[in-house]
Amino acid sequence: MTIDPEFLHSQNDDAVNGQLMKRATYAAVGIALILIAIKSFAYFATNSVAMLSTLVDSMLDLAASAINLFAVRQSLVPADRDHRFGHGKAEALAGLFQSAIITGSAVFLLFQAGERLLNPKPVYASDVGIIVMVVSIVLTIGLVLYQRYVISRTRSVAISADSLHYVGDVLINGGVILALILDTVFHWRFADGMFGILIALVLIFSAWKIIRTSFADLMDEELGDEERENIKTIVLQQPGVLGIHDLRTRRSGQQVFIQMHIDMDGSISLRDAHTISDAVEARLMAEYPEAEAIVHQDPLHIDNSRNDED
């Protein structure tokens, strides 16, 4: 029996991408634990609500990253009898859980920061807080850079959601440093509460972006216009293909599903039509190794009922 080299290449890519995604989740959990430890020390040393907000955010990061770890492992489980299309949507579900956790924490921080605005309190040991925030920024940037590399290879929704709020953490930690400086150097007592509110708003915005991305996956939203046009170009480059219509696409975790009808000369044999169809699928798999393509052949002279304008 001959094994298709394209199939072996696709399987190898899937295995490598799976390992990258798992390592990214382990790294996120590890960094979150370190940040919680050093920020807890800094909060008790400074009594800053802005510091408390970033501590709470790191606790949420840990919860979200732990959910991601489970979701990524589940999404990589191969398709089985009860899940013919695989388990990829576990990533999108993890994104929704993350957004719920982040939104809840943002509301808590809004109340805490509002109370601090009404009753300003001095911040202590700001130098300790600033050092901890600088260390946090360095660690978080390192994690985000690694996550971006993994996302570029895998297009993982769960890792993208995780990376999104870690990017927010970099901005949050910078805001905490500024709040500490304004409070201790310029004695602006309202800075702590104001930055706490700004941080909460950043968290809410991040949660909304995660929700939007997750729903796009769960609701089987089409791939972007650029990717759809690329698919059409690839298909029409195949000799024997005279047209393409009824193109449908969706993404589920790592996997992309592509369905289409292709127009061919109605006088060719069934064998030749099948050969052309297989060649189209091979071209798509070469460009999208994680894809599953279904191609329906239509004789050009038949007027098919089309469900879209493609």
Side-chain angles (χ1 to χ4, degrees):
M1 186 174 104
T2 302
I3 299 178
D4 186 356
E6 290 287 347
F7 175 78
L8 289 177
H9 178 68
S10 174
Q11 293 294 100
N12 185 57
D13 281 347
D14 288 345
V16 171
N17 288 347
Q19 288 300 317
L20 283 174
M21 291 167 63
K22 289 178 182 178
R23 288 171 188 165
T25 58
Y26 294 146
V29 170
I31 292 296
L33 287 170
I34 293 172
L35 294 181
I36 288 172
I38 62 177
K39 288 178 181 180
S40 296
F41 169 75
Y43 168 63
F44 288 111
T46 62
N47 190 38
S48 165
V49 72
M51 184 64 70
L52 172 63
S53 68
T54 190
L55 170 60
V56 171
D57 183 51
S58 290
M59 290 178 175
L60 293 170
D61 289 342
L62 176 61
S65 295
I67 292 172
N68 259 7
L69 194 156
F70 170 78
V72 165
R73 291 177 68 89
Q74 184 66 23
S75 70
L76 294 172
V77 174
D80 55 34
R81 182 175 180 178
D82 296 323
H83 304 87
R84 298 288 188 178
F85 293 98
H87 301 75
K89 290 189 184 295
E91 289 193 51
L93 290 173
L96 290 181
F97 276 117
Q98 285 189 52
S99 61
I101 293 172
I102 292 171
T103 301
S105 68
V107 172
F108 167 75
L109 291 178
L110 281 174
F111 280 106
Q112 291 294 312
E115 193 277 333
R116 185 57 60 93
L117 273 178
L118 295 175
N119 301 291
K121 296 178 183 179
V123 172
Y124 306 105
S126 62
D127 52 342
V128 174
I130 291 173
I131 291 172
V132 167
M133 286 298 96
V134 170
V135 172
S136 298
I137 289 174
V138 172
L139 290 174
T140 305
I141 288 176
L143 175 62
V144 168
L145 290 176
Y146 181 63
Q147 288 176 323
R148 288 292 173 87
Y149 167 70
V150 174
I151 293 166
S152 70
R153 289 286 305 271
T154 67
R155 301 183 182 182
S156 167
V157 174
I159 304 298
S160 296
D162 215 24
S163 181
L164 185 62
H165 60 76
Y166 277 110
V167 169
D169 287 354
V170 175
L171 301 176
I172 289 169
N173 293 333
V176 172
I177 291 175
L178 186 55
L180 292 173
I181 292 173
L182 289 174
D183 191 290
T184 56
V185 177
F186 298 100
H187 305 291
W188 191 12
R189 300 303 182 202
F190 294 102
D192 194 31
M194 288 180 63
F195 275 92
I197 290 176
L198 288 175
I199 290 169
L201 294 177
V202 169
L203 289 174
I204 290 174
F205 178 71
S206 296
W208 166 245
K209 293 184 73 174
I210 295 171
I211 289 172
R212 189 171 59 184
T213 302
S214 298
F215 263 109
D217 201 341
L218 289 171
M219 299 302 293
D220 293 331
E221 185 174 295
E222 287 281 347
L223 299 182
D225 291 339
E226 184 177 344
E227 285 188 287
R228 285 172 57 84
E229 288 302 319
N230 186 47
I231 291 171
K232 293 177 187 177
T233 300
I234 292 170
V235 173
L236 292 174
Q237 287 174 346
Q238 173 61 40
V241 175
L242 303 179
I244 175 176
H245 60 274
D246 286 353
L247 173 63
R248 295 180 177 86
T249 61
R250 67 184 179 93
R251 184 181 298 277
S252 179
Q254 286 294 285
Q255 197 162 17
V256 173
F257 295 92
I258 304 171
Q259 299 179 23
M260 72 191 70
H261 290 222
I262 57 174
D263 297 322
M264 291 179 288
D265 185 346
S267 64
I268 65 175
S269 68
L270 177 60
R271 182 184 297 276
D272 289 340
H274 184 72
T275 299
I276 293 172
S277 177
D278 283 348
V280 168
E281 292 181 8
R283 284 175 177 266
L284 291 171
M285 289 294 293
E287 181 72 14
Y288 300 95
E290 73 281 9
E292 179 179 307
I294 300 177
V295 179
H296 178 78
Q297 307 95 19
D298 283 337
L300 187 60
H301 67 274
I302 292 181
D303 183 19
N304 292 286
S305 177
R306 300 182 181 184
N307 296 321
D308 60 28
E309 296 179 356
D310 294 322

